[in-house]
Structure formats: structure tokens, C-alpha cells
Amino acid sequence: MIRPVQSHAALLAAIHSEDRRDGGFRLWWLGQSGFLLQWQGVHVLLDPYLSDSLTRKYSQTDKPHVRMTELVIDPAELSFVDIATCSHNHTDHLDAETLGPILARNPSLQLVIPEANRAFVADRLKIDPAVPIGLDDGSTIELSGIRFSGVACAHETVERDEQGRAKFLGYVLQFGDWTLYHSGDTLRYEGMAEKLRSFAVDVALLPINGRAPERRVAGNLSGPEAAQLAHDIGAKLAIPCHFEMFEFNTATPDAFVETCRRLEQPFKILRCGEGFESRSVDLADSTTTK
């Protein structure tokens, strides 16, 4: 099993020690599509999955979710979170065993979700339906100095409810001098790149596990597709995710790296538990790095 670069007490110590109010940001990959963003004392969890709920759920089925990477942190240890996001209703993005302890430790936490999923989210998390903050494709809200914009994603299609609201969202976060895009799970669809290009994205967090019908789960961008999307939206840096969590649904970053280098698309490969800080790379002149 893969061991995180840093985990549990060591990861907590790193997060607290890096909490500087210098205008820059720090980012840690927590596995799958989960990230922790730290900026000016504000902490945002993006689609965290920090449990073994799926491994237990599918253990006696023909689709076992065998974990590849050790758990990086107990969600009950995250007592300093201001905002959390959920991009869609799949358990590795909306996990009651992750978000329940986080909500318990952070009573004032603001939970950003697709508005179309409000009833589902409230039922799964056993919370008041009025608690989550709903966004839709093209809508925005500002929380703790961070502007969140919803961007529809296709997992595998752009699905909408009866009122036309997107069930799968990525989020653009604009804060200080920075713009970060977390796609959630997605394939590329017509007009997606043009929509994202207008945000002038600094860092794009994109899945690379691809689409394989034999997995019997909704697909995502492959490594080359993620690299191409990052290039086409003008992202100054691309960071891949959604790999090395479950044996049946993963990919290596190699094809992503190869395509980024061919396209001269700056990138950074993080390992689970590894941190990244904005000052470590001059995003305006970033070169490819592994």
C-alpha cells in the first residue's frame, strides 16, 4: 500500500506551520479528488474522501474498491475548516463518514454544493436542508473572501434536474491574486474550455483516471485529455488527481506528464499528503516539473 508523504500528526503540523498571511496560498492533496486549500488563514476542503466507506460497501461484491493509498488524516482531526465543497453526489465526493465528523468539529462550516443536489446532500449527511450553500452553472457566491463560481461538468454527460440546474459542478475559486479550478469529476464537453478560459486559471486540479466501460463507473478525463484541457484553458499550472485510491479505477500520471511536456503545459505531480505553495513556483513563468 502507498504511504502518504506525510499523514496524521505530521500533516497537521505542516498545515499549522504553513498558516501564513502573506497573500500566497498552500495546497495539500488528500487523495482521490480531495484537496485542502489554505489562504490568509482560511481553510477550504475540496471534495474530501477520508474514510473506508466505499471499501466496506463493496467488499463482498464483484466491484471491490480495494484501497491503494493509506488514509492520510482522520477527518475528526480537521477542526479548523471554514468551507468544504461537494461537486456531486458520488460517495468519494460526498461521504457521510468524512463530512459528518468534519461538520461536528466545525459547527460554522459552510458547505458548498450543486443546488440541484440539496435534498440528496441533506439526506445523506442528516443535516437541515437549509444548511448547504447551493450553486449552479454560472452562479457565484463569496465566502470568507473567496469567490466561488459553479461550472457544469460532464460525468459522463452534463446532467440537469427538472429545473435545468447542473447536478455535477466544478468550482472556480478566486481569492487575492489567485484563481484555482477544481473540476470535480468530468469529461470534456463542447464549450467547456471557452467557458473556463475567461477565468484566467492559475492552477487547474483535474482527474486523470480516464474512462473504461469495464469498470462500470462514470468516466473522467484521461491523462492526455486533462493535459490538453489545461493547455486549452490557459492554466498556468496543472495538478492531476483521482488516481492511486482504488485499484480498479486508477491510472499512472505518465501519459499526463508526457502530454504536458509535449504541449509545454506547466504541471506539478503531488503525492498523497504532499503540499504545494504558490511561492515555490513562479506561475507566470512556470516550467514543467515532476
Side-chain angles (χ1 to χ4, degrees):
M1 186 172 286
I2 300 168
R3 299 190 66 180
V5 171
Q6 52 189 352
S7 61
H8 301 289
L11 177 58
L12 281 176
I15 293 168
H16 291 309
S17 69
E18 291 295 320
D19 192 3
R20 300 189 297 274
R21 318 297 167 92
D22 57 4
F25 70 89
R26 287 91 203 165
L27 191 72
W28 288 266
W29 185 36
L30 304 180
Q32 199 67 336
S33 293
F35 290 86
L36 175 68
L37 170 69
Q38 179 187 79
W39 171 75
Q40 297 296 92
V42 178
H43 293 85
V44 183
L45 275 174
L46 302 166
D47 282 25
Y49 174 71
L50 299 170
S51 82
D52 286 320
S53 62
L54 284 170
T55 300
R56 288 192 299 273
K57 178 180 178 180
Y58 289 100
S59 63
Q60 303 301 315
T61 73
D62 63 352
K63 193 166 63 176
H65 285 47
V66 178
R67 178 182 272 276
M68 296 177 65
T69 301
E70 293 177 0
L71 183 66
V72 69
I73 189 80
D74 181 340
E77 295 297 316
L78 299 174
S79 60
F80 48 83
V81 181
D82 301 285
I83 304 165
T85 69
C86 161
S87 62
H88 63 283
N89 291 340
H90 292 163
T91 303
D92 55 334
H93 300 259
L94 176 66
D95 179 37
E97 293 187 23
T98 296
L99 290 171
I102 291 170
L103 285 163
R105 293 300 307 276
N106 303 273
S108 61
L109 181 139
Q110 296 176 293
L111 178 63
V112 179
I113 66 166
E115 179 60 39
N117 302 342
R118 180 177 296 276
F120 186 99
V121 170
D123 180 66
R124 174 168 288 182
L125 300 183
K126 308 305 179 190
I127 59 176
D128 184 336
V131 168
I133 298 167
L135 285 180
D136 192 14
D137 182 27
S139 69
T140 64
I141 191 168
E142 184 167 321
L143 304 170
S144 300
I146 301 176
R147 184 178 177 87
F148 290 78
S149 299
V151 178
C153 50
H155 193 41
E156 291 185 350
T157 60
V158 177
E159 294 186 32
R160 300 184 184 273
D161 67 4
E162 62 279 359
Q163 298 182 49
R165 301 173 302 195
K167 295 182 178 182
F168 300 87
L169 282 183
Y171 299 106
V172 174
L173 284 67
Q174 295 169 295
F175 49 97
D177 296 328
W178 309 102
T179 300
L180 183 147
Y181 171 56
H182 183 274
S183 72
D185 284 353
T186 195
L187 296 172
R188 184 166 178 168
Y189 59 89
E190 186 175 355
M192 183 182 190
E194 291 74 15
K195 186 185 301 186
L196 288 165
R197 192 178 301 126
S198 67
F199 287 101
V201 171
D202 292 304
V203 179
L205 309 175
L206 302 170
I208 62 164
N209 59 304
R211 182 182 185 276
E214 62 271 19
R215 296 174 182 168
R216 291 173 289 145
V217 293
N220 276 324
L221 298 165
S222 65
E225 289 169 338
Q228 187 69 58
L229 179 62
H231 176 267
D232 291 348
I233 70 174
K236 296 187 178 76
L237 191 74
I239 298 178
C241 62
H242 212 298
F243 65 100
E244 294 184 350
M245 178 57 74
F246 300 118
E247 289 182 357
F248 86 105
N249 189 9
T250 190
T252 72
D254 296 349
F256 170 81
V257 170
E258 180 181 352
T259 306
C260 281
R261 287 179 171 156
R262 178 174 58 80
L263 295 172
E264 298 185 344
Q265 167 61 48
F267 68 92
K268 176 73 176 176
I269 306 297
L270 295 179
R271 313 316 300 183
C272 185
E274 185 177 1
F276 165 82
E277 58 178 312
S278 54
R279 70 175 185 173
S280 68
V281 176
D282 181 352
L283 296 180
D285 299 301
S286 178
T287 55
T288 55
T289 179
K290 184 172 182 179

